[in-house]
Amino acid sequence: CIWLIGLEGLRSLKRPYWLGLRASDLSVKKYNKKVRLILNTTNAIDAVFFLKILGTIRTPSLVVEWKNKAPTAKYVSRSIALSFYVDLDIGNRPWPIKLNADELEKMIKNFNDKELAMFIAGALDGDGSIWYNGSVNVMISVCKDCPKSFILDMLKRVIAERFGIVGSDRSLETADALMFYGRNAVKLLRHIAKYVHHPLRRLRIELILALYDGRISRGAFEKLYEITEYEYGGPDIKRNHALEILTRAAPQTHTHGG
């Protein structure tokens, strides 16, 4: 539950975390003279996570819809997607609706180290991954030919200039990614750990840093880390179970008795 610590600070959209999330998974659209913030998922963990973080602003609304394809899950012919959204007055947003490369880089370069770490954490929470396969790996990705693709080059430069942490480019089947490996990955995690709120990513960070700080043995780490693993593209409990997890949670929100 450590990922819940500090969520109250996200009530302010001026937090650089939100701009980082905006640079990855958070969609922003004009809607009936309002600004709509939208997070979409078919993922069981994100169903809880997105509901919780948008709830720091106001109670989110929910749209449930069928998706025709599930390319990362061969055993699913159709998946159910959840869209969480909140509507705000246009004047309440602290950043542009459309991201501009020059404006965004100028904003980020004006961040202090803490604010930059928050921004990176938001980007990682939105569309990032952390894993251990004998070495530590941290990845922030954007879809190929996406208008947000410039963010990876900008982040690579800024992180190297500010923290002395070197990242590398990686091309995936449907996305481009900024990768950090080994010592560079661990160094980055030390900067951003307390600002990461995604439950699975925060748990993995805590385990990795506990190992590298000598607070747990490698045997204990491997046993604990194994619990966080799932089969990519396989019939796991993480992907394509977003609606199911909310359905299971719903009865616990009711007040029983007289």
Side-chain angles (χ1 to χ4, degrees):
C1 292
I2 195 171
W3 66 279
L4 296 167
I5 297 174
L7 278 180
E8 65 278 359
L10 298 184
R11 291 194 181 103
S12 171
L13 286 172
K14 293 182 180 179
R15 283 282 182 130
Y17 177 93
W18 286 109
L19 185 60
L21 195 64
R22 168 72 184 100
S24 56
D25 243 16
L26 180 68
S27 299
V28 180
K29 297 179 181 178
K30 284 186 178 179
Y31 184 81
N32 288 344
K33 298 182 180 180
K34 299 278 187 178
V35 173
R36 177 164 289 184
L37 310 184
I38 310 164
L39 287 165
N40 301 303
T41 190
T42 61
N43 181 315
I45 296 173
D46 287 349
V48 176
F49 171 56
F50 288 165
L51 179 64
K52 192 68 178 175
I53 61 169
L54 280 181
T56 63
I57 303 170
R58 62 177 53 177
T59 302
S61 299
L62 173 65
V63 174
V64 181
E65 58 186 350
W66 284 105
K67 294 188 71 175
N68 291 327
K69 295 181 180 180
T72 59
K74 297 178 182 178
Y75 61 95
V76 175
S77 57
R78 296 182 74 192
S79 59
I80 299 174
L82 307 185
S83 293
F84 299 99
Y85 68 89
V86 294
D87 291 334
L88 307 172
D89 293 332
I90 287 181
N92 286 346
R93 54 165 178 77
W95 17 260
I97 292 177
K98 292 186 178 181
L99 294 179
N100 173 281
D102 294 333
E103 289 181 2
L104 183 62
E105 185 162 358
K106 184 177 179 180
M107 291 172 66
I108 290 172
K109 285 188 173 180
N110 285 329
F111 286 159
N112 59 35
D113 288 357
K114 177 181 176 181
E115 290 169 333
L116 177 57
M118 288 181 181
F119 176 88
I120 299 167
L124 184 69
D125 274 355
D127 208 354
S129 299
I130 300 165
W131 71 94
Y132 183 87
N133 56 2
S135 180
V136 183
N137 303 268
V138 178
M139 179 175 74
I140 299 172
S141 62
V142 297
C143 59
K144 287 186 181 292
D145 301 321
C146 176
K148 297 179 181 181
S149 60
F150 68 86
I151 290 164
L152 298 183
D153 290 335
M154 179 271 299
L155 262 182
K156 183 180 177 182
R157 289 195 305 272
V158 174
I159 291 172
E161 291 169 2
R162 183 71 64 85
F163 296 143
I165 299 172
V166 179
S168 56
D169 301 321
R170 182 176 176 183
S171 180
L172 307 173
E173 184 177 348
T174 60
D176 290 319
L178 173 60
M179 294 287 307
F180 299 90
Y181 302 98
R183 292 182 179 179
N184 282 305
V186 174
K187 189 175 179 181
L188 181 63
L189 294 182
R190 292 192 189 282
H191 281 284
I192 68 174
K194 64 182 179 181
Y195 308 117
V196 172
H197 294 292
H198 188 281
L200 179 60
R201 287 161 206 157
R202 180 60 178 269
L203 175 56
R204 287 183 173 177
I205 290 174
E206 295 294 335
L207 289 173
I208 288 167
L209 293 183
L211 173 66
Y212 276 77
D213 290 342
R215 289 181 278 125
I216 59 174
S217 68
R218 182 166 296 277
F221 168 79
E222 290 175 353
K223 185 176 181 180
L224 292 168
Y225 183 83
E226 184 180 4
I227 300 170
T228 76
E229 293 184 293
Y230 55 90
E231 181 183 354
Y232 185 76
D236 59 76
I237 62 170
K238 177 174 178 277
R239 299 187 181 279
N240 296 295
H241 291 281
L243 183 59
E244 179 184 346
I245 201 71
L246 288 191
T247 303
R248 290 187 180 189
Q252 309 309 317
T253 66
H254 295 174
T255 300
H256 298 283

